């Protein structure tokens, strides 16, 4: 009987233990924390809170394809660069975004649904993600104890700059956009945020820039450690860039570029021409230039002993120099193997970003005279001598010093083994950002992407004055010539008309800012229909079989011919909204021509 | 309190036995005969009397027994093949005919019911059927064996592959790569992979299908449960079984690739189609054809160079079982070994690079009666497995990818400098990968242990018993690799530009040769602990029987990796009631908690009610001459599924990529915000209804029919389709998906014997059709684009209407937006008439690519005296596959090879008859995308096994002092009728091929 009692009590104990477990079962079912960090832990001290801001910095646009794949922060247009859909360059990558979507004309609203091959994708390009991260920072930084109020102001201003940067990118790709003013929670109704008008979006960006400028330091004192953070000059520069776009004919015109509901609601058009917008743009640029020149803290890069070429190369490539107003740092060094560095692979082997003959012809002679000028000394049988130093630093041309020898871009040469080879398939290949295409030096070098450089502000200022005053004044000439002088070009000839001067500036911008994502926006803001329609050429270079070698040059039409060259529509100026976004039915209005 | 040693107790009890039995006055001797349904005597059946535990009698060779007992006591009969009957002793002479209704069916939690008493839908297959498969992983013996169980073969080596298993199709879908369709597999009541066992250990596999059977599994049952029961000691005295089998394996199907001349011609055709000049001149084509310069213009059949025709394998098992008075045990040792299909594996000294595997399983299942009322059970099992392969970076798919995608004209196996062939585009010489990459070994060590104690508590309450159990498992996988790289050489001819005469060759060495590098890594591990207790009670009065069960169980499974700990607490109960042996009712329920879900929604209650009526036992039914047995079943209830992505109820911040301020390499870490918190978050609930009929007719036909209708709610779905992108972060998931699933299962057995001649025909047909009712789908402009209302994993694509003939036709047709269109490209139907072919023209094509709707099998067996032949077929229908394997189905792109599947490609000359688009060298996004050309009917009808056997007659084997002996020849996967033809429809990707096998075996019992 005792034994039975024992067994019963053991059984009862087991059952009770079980019941106990069930009752307080949560103790057993409580798992080890699978999530280490929530918003509360993040904003409990400054170091962690700052990381949210650094995380937001990381969403900024880095204009070079780093890796292949679907992350557009790393891969632009699916292995291509924005330049590949401008007249500066051509891509032979048949699976890249330039070819698949733009050259074939198959781009449409559905292209924005899910593939990362468009020039700016609303989720993959992390615009709204960056904005959200910045608002999370802005909304929570006050919870962090013991932060120096001045420093807190600076941090908040940086967060505002990130928001402004993303909206500036969206503004130039889409026009007016829905304005987000906080980090929405899951419970917030976010379905019905309408697009702002182009005017209102621009003003909102400018307001953010102004607010940020007030709290940002004029320059970074500790460049070794903190170069790359936003400064007051960054804010003023971004404002100048946005206002120039705002004043340009795409939006600032007597008629919309394409009539549609979006145009009628002034999402892609200001509703008329207002010359004062040019004044506004000019003033914004002038404010920055005046302050830069009076303090001497920002000026065009030059190092004693450098050649013009070297100055130009270091001006766009190096960190911590005085002319980079906004520098994006997705990585510290470029990837160290060709397999990891997609831009290296793609531009060298697969044939993206092949400079066009049209682009090469934009570069003047070293004297500054355009090659079409009969007095320039341009020799079409020896076209690559005595040219603008920026040509050699931007485009790899036949006979230029390269990898310790001379570049062989003739057919059968080491850079272009056959006529059909993708590499150097236009007779050129890119030098900018790739330097010598030398695995020992081009790979693994310290890098950044110059989102905005001071020369652009000078050229923007000159452009805006020219438009506002109906012709260039001395100040406009002075500003352009500062940029030309850095690479040794002569001053622009006096007496240019407004239109001539404008074209000079646009060419200057093309030569200065190749692969810095300037040309595309210049083409669209000036509604350069003719440049979209024009024929694009490459150059076949043949070398004689006998020494001394003679070279013959043959321009050839690039294929495929771009769809829009023959079927032009102004709709191409701005991106389409994804059809599945429109289909959510909250009233998002499609851009003109993409309905 | 006294302390007894087990031994002491045993002795005491034995003495008691000896003294007591002859002395009991009222006892008399009952004699009886046990027959099976074919009136054959059942030998070695165990006869006991419930009131006299410990006394065990076995039937003799004629099925006869004598047992002392009293009138009114309960006699229990248990056969070796798990049939059970009990009856009250009345007559002196007992004749029992056991039939299918007496078969014991496992119902979970170590309970069994006679088939007659079942009210739920459970299918079962027993060892005698399972061992007719020559497989290593027991899961591969289940094709078509149980109605409602869909088993789909996968490619891969025999010792590694695991088929996909579904019960009643699928009725849920995961998000992204998250799989939530796994079924629960229990071995002797504890969660374990079937692949850990060997066939020799398994007594039966049961599939639980309806709520009545699944409710007690709470949160884990909704996808179905597989109950595996291992063998235990039965029978009289020691019996030993020895099995040996030798097998020869052969690739079931291998694709055929074009030879060098064919490849080069195809490349030329592709160039012409692309508007380019042909790549190869006629002179070069001739060189490929003549083989005159095998190093510069090679023609290599990579399959012939890399594979051999036959692999081989051996299987051996020996098992012992015995039932002594107080101890019953079953012990088995099983060894499987197989050598794969690679050819050049003996090129190295000291090691061989064949793909091969071996596995050693052992098991000891011991039941001990510690006292008359206390039973102790120990199950101890484990396995050691090793597999070997060449030391390629990933696994053997590296090799098959090379074999299937490298063109025959790419390079020679070895160059004239005796270097491995290769080019800068092809760095993966298949023969080099096999014989010059070193080797790699993978090992698995598993140990599984169960301890169970059960005590009858009749003194307390009559019919009550209590038990407790603990179980530990541990599994560990490791990999030791000895890998190396090899240098290869590219030889390019330099041709005279006019005559194409070979003027010189350019030789380039690529890659480097390295020595064997050793690397040892732990690959994965899992460990599981389960413990619990249960109470059981059974009672009867008049013609009522009532039994009930209560179980409390706690389990923990820890796998490698974060968020891979799974804990469950279960309280389950079941009440089974029957009246007059005709009316049955079950009430099952459980409360189950899981750690994968947040507090507040982690516990669920799952009840189920089921009823059965044995109509054929009604008086008025007796007149019926057709039915020997007719039973109706119905059930309704709930079951859950807690396979949900973990931690999504929280909004996590994770360290993100750094940002690089400053001039120095001074990365500052960032945070990024994870998906918004998904709340409320809960498990899936399946509302299951089932109606079933079990019938036996005319003494030669059994039929089981089940109809089911399930509705699954609470499926996790994405909400991105309705949330604006301005949110800037991944929106929350929502537990609001709904899927309906309905279908039926039909099982039919016909059997008869005419003298020495017996035959049986079995047929099974399962059908399950699911339909997505709610998935918060994004808006789609056309009705036909909607996934809601369609099957889970329904294939969607464009409808091809032919191929473009010329530029005019292209210009006159709706614009196809995926690529620049050339003649020979696929022309699609403009479904919405918007003059544009884009994603909005994709319609449902075919069926699901995940699981077939029809799954059926048939078995035909004939036996004349001791010779028999048996054929087993299995097939599927309403099943679709996407033929997108580069090299096999998609030729030439990505520098790949071309198979004879592409023979019907479009050319201007064959424009009228072509079935495939033009050849092209570019990854043409117009042609190579989901469309009606690449979605193919994956239905098949396979001869899974064909066996010729000799059950040697007792005259012969008794001379050999043997109990039984069977010799057989068996072919597995001998042929398939299907529409894919060039490869196995069940494995269309790049994998180690599925195999046919020819096996010769002998089974001896003594």
């Amino acid at each position: 009987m005792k034994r039975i009692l024992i067994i019963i009590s053991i059984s009862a104990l087991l059952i009770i233990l079980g019941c106990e477990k069930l009752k307080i079962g949560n103790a057993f079912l409580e798992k080890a924390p699978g999530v280490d960090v929530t918003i509360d832990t993040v904003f409990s001290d400054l170091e962690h809170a700052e990381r949210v801001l650094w995380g937001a910095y990381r969403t900024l646009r880095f204009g070079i394809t780093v890796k292949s794949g679907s992350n557009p922060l790393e891969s632009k247009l699916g292995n291509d660069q924005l330049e590949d859909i401008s007249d500066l360059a051509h891509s032979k990558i048949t699976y890249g975004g330039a070819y698949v979507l733009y050259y074939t004309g198959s781009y449409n609203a559905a292209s924005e649904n899910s593939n990362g091959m468009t020039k700016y994708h609303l989720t993959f390009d992390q615009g709204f993600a960056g904005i959200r991260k910045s608002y999370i920072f802005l909304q929570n930084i006050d919870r962090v104890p013991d932060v120096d109020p001045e420093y807190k102001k600076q941090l908040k201003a940086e967060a505002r700059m990130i928001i402004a940067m993303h909206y500036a990118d969206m503004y130039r790709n889409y026009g007016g956009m829905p304005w987000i003013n906080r980090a929405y929670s899951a419970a917030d109704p976010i379905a019905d945020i309408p697009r702002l008008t182009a005017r209102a979006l621009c003003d909102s960006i400018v307001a953010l820039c102004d607010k940020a400028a007030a709290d940002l330091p004029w320059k970074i004192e500790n460049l070794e450690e903190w170069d790359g953070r936003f400064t007051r000059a960054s804010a003023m520069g971004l404002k100048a860039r946005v206002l120039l776009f705002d004043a340009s004919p795409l939006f600032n015109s007597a008629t919309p570029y394409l009539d549609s509901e979006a145009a009628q609601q002034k999402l892609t058009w200001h509703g008329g021409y207002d010359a004062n917008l040019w004044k506004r743009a000019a003033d914004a640029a002038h404010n920055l230039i005046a302050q830069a020149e009076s303090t001497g803290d920002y000026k065009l890069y030059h190092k004693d002993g450098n050649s013009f070429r070297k100055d130009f190369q270091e001006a766009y490539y190096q960190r911590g120099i005085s002319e980079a107003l906004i520098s994006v740092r997705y990585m510290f060094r470029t990837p160290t193997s060709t397999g990891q560095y997609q831009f290296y692979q793609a531009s060298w082997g697969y044939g993206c970003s092949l400079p066009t003959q049209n682009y090469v012809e934009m570069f003047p002679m070293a004297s500054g005279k355009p090659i079409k000028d009969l007095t320039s000394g341009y020799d079409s049988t020896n076209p690559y001598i005595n040219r603008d130093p920026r040509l050699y630093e931007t485009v790899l041309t036949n006979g230029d010093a390269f990898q310790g020898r001379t570049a062989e871009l003739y057919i059968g040469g080491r850079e272009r083994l056959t006529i059909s080879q993708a590499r150097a398939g236009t007779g050129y290949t890119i030098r900018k950002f790739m330097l010598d295409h030398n695995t020992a030096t081009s790979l693994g070098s310290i890098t950044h992407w110059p989102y905005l450089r001071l020369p652009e502000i000078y050229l923007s200022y000159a452009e805006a004055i020219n438009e506002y005053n109906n012709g260039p004044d001395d100040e406009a000439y002075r500003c352009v010539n500062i940029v030309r002088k850095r690479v040794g070009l002569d001053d622009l000839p006096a007496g240019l008309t407004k239109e001539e001067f404008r074209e000079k500036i646009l060419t200057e911008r093309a030569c200065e800012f190749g692969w810095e994502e300037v040309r595309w926006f210049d083409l669209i803001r000036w509604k350069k229909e003719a440049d979209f329609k024009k024929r694009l050429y490459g150059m076949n270079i043949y070398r004689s079989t006998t020494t001394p070698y003679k070279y013959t040059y043959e321009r050839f039409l690039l294929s495929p011919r771009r769809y829009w060259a023959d079927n032009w529509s102004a709709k191409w100026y701005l991106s389409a909204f994804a059809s599945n976004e429109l289909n959510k039915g909250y009233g998002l209005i499609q851009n003109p021509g993409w309905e | 309190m006294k302390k007894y040693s087990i031994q002491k107790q045993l002795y005491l009890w034995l003495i008691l036995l000896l003294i007591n039995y002859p002395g009991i006055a009222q006892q008399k001797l009952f004699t009886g005969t046990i027959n099976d349904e074919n009136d054959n005597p059942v030998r070695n059946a165990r006869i006991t009397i419930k009131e006299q535990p410990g006394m065990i009698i076995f039937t003799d060779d004629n099925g006869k027994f004598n047992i002392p007992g009293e009138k009114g006591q309960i006699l229990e009969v248990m056969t070796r093949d798990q049939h059970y009957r009990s009856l009250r002793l009345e007559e002196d002479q007992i004749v029992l005919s056991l039939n299918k209704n007496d078969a014991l069916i496992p119902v979970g939690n170590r309970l069994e019911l006679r088939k007659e008493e079942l009210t739920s839908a459970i299918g079962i297959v027993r060892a005698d059927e399972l061992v007719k498969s020559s497989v290593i992983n027991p899961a591969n013996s289940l094709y078509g064996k149980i109605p409602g169980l869909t088993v789909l073969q996968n490619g891969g080596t025999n010792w590694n592959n695991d088929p996909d298993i579904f019960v009643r199709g699928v009725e849920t879908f995961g998000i992204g790569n998250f799989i939530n369709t796994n079924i629960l597999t229990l071995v002797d009541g504890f969660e374990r992979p079937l692949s850990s066992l060997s066939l020799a250990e398994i007594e039966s596999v049961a599939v639980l299908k309806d709520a009545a059977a699944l409710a007690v599994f709470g949160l884990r049952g909704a996808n179905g449960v597989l109950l595996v029961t291992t063998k235990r000691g039965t029978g009289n005295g020691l019996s030993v079984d020895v099995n040996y089998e030798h097998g020869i394996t052969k690739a079931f199907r291998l694709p055929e690739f074009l030879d060098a001349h064919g490849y080069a011609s195809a490349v030329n055709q592709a160039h012409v189609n692309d508007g380019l000049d042909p790549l190869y001149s006629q002179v070069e084509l001739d060189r490929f054809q003549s083989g005159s310069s095998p190093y510069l213009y090679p023609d290599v059949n990579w399959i012939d160079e890399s594979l051999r025709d036959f692999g081989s394998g051996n299987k051996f098992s020996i098992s012992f079982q015995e039932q002594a008075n107080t101890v019953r045990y079953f012990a088995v040792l099983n060894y499987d070994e197989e050598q794969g299909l690679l050819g050049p594996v003996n090129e190295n000294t000291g090691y061989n690079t064949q793909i091969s595997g071996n596995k050693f399983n052992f098991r000891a299942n011991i039941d001990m009666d510690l006292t008359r009322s206390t039973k102790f059970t120990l199950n101890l099992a484990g396995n050691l497995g090793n597999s070997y392969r060449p030391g390629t970076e990933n696994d053997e798919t590296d090799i098959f990818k090379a074999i299937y995608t490298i063109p025959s004209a790419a390079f020679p196996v070895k160059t004239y400098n005796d270097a491995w062939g290769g080019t800068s585009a092809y760095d993966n010489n298949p023969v080099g990968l096999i014989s010059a990459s070193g080797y790699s070994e993978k090992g698995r060590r598993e140990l599984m242990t169960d301890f169970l104690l059960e005590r009858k508590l009749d003194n307390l309450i009559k019919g009550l018993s209590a038990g407790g159990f603990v179980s530990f498992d541990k599994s560990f996988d490791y990999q030791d690799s000895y890998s190396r790289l090899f240098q290869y050489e590219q030889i390019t001819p330099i041709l005279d530009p006019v005559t194409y005469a070979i003027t010189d060759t350019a030789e380039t060495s690529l890659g480097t040769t390295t020595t064997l590098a050793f690397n040892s890594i732990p690959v994965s591990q899992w460990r599981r602990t389960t413990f619990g207790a249960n109470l059981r009670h059974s009672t009867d009065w008049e013609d009522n029987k009532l039994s009930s069960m209560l179980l409390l169980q706690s389990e923990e499974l820890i796998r490698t990796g974060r968020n891979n700990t799974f804990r469950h607490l279960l309280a389950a109960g079941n009440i089974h009631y029957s009246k007059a042996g005709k009316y049955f009712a079950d009430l099952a329920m459980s409360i189950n908690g899981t750690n994968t879900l947040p507090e507040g929604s982690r516990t669920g209650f799952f009840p189920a009610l089921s009823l059965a009526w044995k109509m054929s036992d009604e008086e008025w039914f007796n007149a019926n001459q057709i039915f020997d047995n007719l039973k109706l079943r119905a059930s309704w209830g709930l079951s859950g599924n807690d396979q949900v992505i973990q931690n999504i109820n929280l909004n996590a911040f994770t360290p993100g990529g750094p940002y690089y301020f400053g001039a120095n390499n001074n990365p500052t870490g960032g945070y990024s915000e994870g998906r918004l918190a998904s709340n409320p978050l809960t498990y899936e609930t399946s509302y299951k209804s089932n109606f079933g009929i079990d019938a036996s007719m005319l003494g030669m036909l059994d039929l089981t029919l089940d109809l089911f209708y399930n509705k699954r709610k609470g499926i996790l779905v994405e909400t991105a389709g309705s949330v604006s992108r301005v949110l800037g972060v991944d929106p929350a998931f929502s537990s609001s998906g709904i899927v309906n699933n309905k279908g039926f299962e039909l099982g039919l057995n016909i059997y008869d014997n005419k003298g020495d001649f017996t035959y049986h025909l079995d047929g099974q047909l399962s059908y399950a059709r699911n339909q997505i009712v709610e998935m918060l789908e994004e808006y789609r402009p056309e009705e036909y684009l909607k996934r809601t209302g369609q099957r889970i994993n329904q294939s969607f694509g464009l409808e091809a209407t032919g191929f473009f003939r010329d530029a005019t036709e292209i210009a006159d047709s709706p614009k196809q937006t995926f690529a620049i269109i050339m003649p020979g490209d696929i022309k699609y139907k403009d479904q919405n008439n918007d003059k544009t072919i884009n994603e909005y023209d994709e319609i449902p094509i075919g069926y699901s690519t995940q699981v077939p709707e029809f799954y059926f099998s048939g078995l035909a067996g004939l036996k004349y005296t001791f010779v028999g032949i048996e054929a087993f077929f299995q097939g599927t229908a309403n099943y679709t596959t996407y033929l997108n394997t580069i090299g096999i189905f998609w030729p030439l792109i990505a520098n790949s090879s071309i198979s004879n599947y592409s023979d019907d490609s479009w050319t201007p000359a064959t424009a009228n008859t072509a079935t495939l688009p033009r050849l092209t060298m570019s990854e043409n996004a117009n042609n190579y995308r989901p469309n009606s050309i690449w979605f193919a009917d994956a239905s098949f009808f396979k001869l899974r096994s064909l066996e010729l056997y000799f059950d040697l007659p007792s005259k012969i084997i008794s001379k050999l002092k043997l109990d039984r002996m069977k010799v057989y020849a068996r072919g597995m996967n001998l042929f398939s009728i299907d529409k894919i033809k060039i490869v196995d429809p069940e494995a269309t990707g790049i994998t180690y091929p599925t195999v046919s096998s020819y096996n010769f075996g002998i089974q001896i019992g003594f």
Side-chain angles (χ1 to χ4, degrees), chain A residues 148-357:
Chain A
D148 171 40
E150 283 306 306
Y151 185 55
K152 198 192 287 185
K153 272 187 177 176
Q154 181 192 339
L155 291 172
K156 284 184 175 179
E158 287 178 81
R160 290 193 181 98
M161 273 303 290
I162 292 167
I163 299 168
M165 291 270 289
H166 283 302
Y167 268 120
D169 286 339
M170 290 191 224
Y171 183 52
R172 295 189 299 162
N173 280 290
Y174 287 94
M177 289 296 287
W179 184 259
I180 302 299
N181 57 10
R182 65 178 190 278
Y184 288 89
S185 76
D188 274 322
I190 57 160
D192 55 351
I193 303 169
R195 290 177 72 181
L196 293 187
T197 62
R199 160 90 290 109
L201 179 59
C202 175
D203 290 348
S204 302
I205 298 169
V206 167
L208 276 179
C209 290
D210 286 342
K211 195 160 186 208
D215 295 331
L216 286 168
W218 166 242
K219 63 169 189 169
I220 301 295
E221 296 298 338
N222 181 359
L223 284 177
E224 280 295 296
E225 208 170 336
W226 292 117
D227 170 43
R229 287 176 76 167
F230 290 116
T231 61
R232 193 180 312 147
S234 309
M236 295 169 79
L238 184 67
K239 174 180 171 181
R241 176 185 264 195
V242 169
L243 285 175
L244 185 79
F245 193 89
D246 181 68
S248 299
L250 182 65
F251 295 160
N252 187 21
S253 167
T255 53
Y257 71 85
L258 204 61
D259 200 14
S260 79
E261 191 188 355
Q264 282 158 19
Q265 298 213 11
K266 305 198 174 56
L267 311 177
T268 56
W269 179 49
H270 292 333
Y273 178 73
D274 179 2
N276 284 320
L277 294 181
W278 289 113
K279 176 78 165 71
R280 199 178 169 206
D283 288 348
H286 176 257
N287 284 345
L288 174 54
I289 289 169
Q291 207 169 340
E293 289 179 351
S294 70
T295 60
D297 290 326
Y298 295 93
K299 52 176 172 275
L300 263 60
Y301 175 82
H302 164 69
K303 198 166 113 188
D304 288 342
N306 267 0
S307 65
F308 293 126
R309 277 184 68 164
K310 195 74 183 160
D311 267 348
F312 177 70
Q313 186 199 94
E314 292 177 358
Y316 79 81
Y317 202 77
Q318 281 201 349
R319 294 181 166 209
I321 55 159
S322 56
E323 70 172 69
L325 299 175
I326 300 175
S327 150
V328 178
R329 318 303 190 68
Y330 189 71
M331 53 198 172
F332 178 62
R333 290 179 192 279
T334 57
T336 50
S337 82
T338 54
Q340 288 170 9
Y341 196 2
Q342 183 64 15
F343 189 29
Y344 186 97
Q345 289 256 80
S347 63
W348 189 236
Y350 309 153
C352 87
S353 288
L354 300 168
T356 60
Q357 178 63 20

Side-chain angles (χ1 to χ4, degrees), chain A residues 344-533:
Chain A
Y344 186 97
Q345 289 256 80
S347 63
W348 189 236
Y350 309 153
C352 87
S353 288
L354 300 168
T356 60
Q357 178 63 20
N358 310 55
Y359 186 29
V360 171
E361 289 170 6
M362 288 182 201
F363 288 92
M365 302 301 287
S367 63
K369 285 185 177 169
I371 62 169
K372 282 181 184 141
D373 186 335
L374 294 176
T375 67
S376 67
Y378 176 71
D379 177 1
S380 63
T381 63
N382 199 358
Y384 309 125
I385 56 162
N386 279 329
R387 300 287 294 275
D388 180 343
R390 291 175 300 192
L391 170 63
Y392 310 118
E393 282 302 320
T394 308
V395 178
L396 182 65
T397 54
N398 190 40
D400 193 21
F402 179 65
Q403 295 189 347
R405 52 183 173 86
T406 56
E408 299 175 1
L409 284 150
Y410 52 87
I411 292 158
R414 272 180 277 186
E415 274 61 72
R416 200 179 179 201
L417 292 166
T418 66
I419 194 166
S420 59
Q421 168 185 300
R423 185 209 308 173
T426 57
Y428 305 102
T429 188
I430 182 177
R431 169 102 76 168
K432 203 163 182 184
F433 292 105
M434 282 295 115
L435 307 180
D436 235 7
H437 282 280
N438 182 334
T439 48
T441 55
S442 305
L443 297 181
S445 67
I446 298 167
T447 190
H448 75 146
W449 191 63
Y451 184 93
L452 182 63
R453 287 194 289 128
L454 184 60
E456 185 181 328
I457 306 300
Y458 275 107
L459 295 176
S460 298
Y461 182 38
E463 182 184 328
I465 313 175
N466 181 48
E467 298 302 327
Y468 184 66
N469 294 340
N470 280 316
D473 60 6
D474 289 351
E475 180 67 355
Y477 270 102
R478 183 185 76 90
C479 288
V480 179
N481 290 335
I482 285 175
V483 177
R484 291 167 66 85
K485 203 181 195 78
R486 192 252 298 275
V487 287
L489 305 185
D490 291 346
D491 290 352
L492 283 179
L496 295 172
T497 66
K498 175 184 173 184
E499 284 71 28
E500 287 167 345
F501 191 77
R502 177 195 302 151
E503 290 308 314
K504 289 279 181 201
I505 289 173
L506 291 178
T507 305
E508 198 64 40
R509 288 167 71 99
C511 297
E512 178 75 25
F513 300 115
W515 283 273
E516 293 179 48
E517 296 197 342
V518 169
R519 179 64 175 176
W520 169 264
F521 298 109
D522 284 351
L523 290 177
I524 64 161
R525 70 190 172 87
W526 278 103
K527 300 196 277 195
K528 288 282 195 181
E529 184 178 332
D531 282 307
F532 282 96
K533 288 176 165 175

Side-chain angles (χ1 to χ4, degrees), chain A residues 8 26 28-29 31 34 37 48 51 58 106 113 129 132 224 227 319 329 332 579-581 583-584 586, chain B residues 562 567 595 599 602 646 653 657-660 662-665 669 671 673 723-725 728 779 817 840:
Chain A
I8 291 170
N26 284 328
F28 178 69
L29 295 178
K31 62 181 143 193
V37 183
H48 286 87
R51 289 189 185 183
R58 200 177 157 82
S106 57
N113 283 352
R132 178 181 176 84
E224 280 295 296
D227 170 43
R319 294 181 166 209
R329 318 303 190 68
F332 178 62
S579 54
N580 64 11
E581 188 65 19
N583 289 344
K584 288 171 189 170
Y586 59 83
Chain B
R562 187 175 176 149
R567 296 200 186 114
N595 75 329
E599 198 177 343
R602 63 166 56 127
Q646 296 201 37
F653 280 70
Y659 198 73
Y660 298 88
N664 300 318
N665 192 358
Y671 271 124
E673 184 194 15
V723 175
S724 167
R725 292 186 189 181
Y779 169 83
T817 58
Y840 294 146

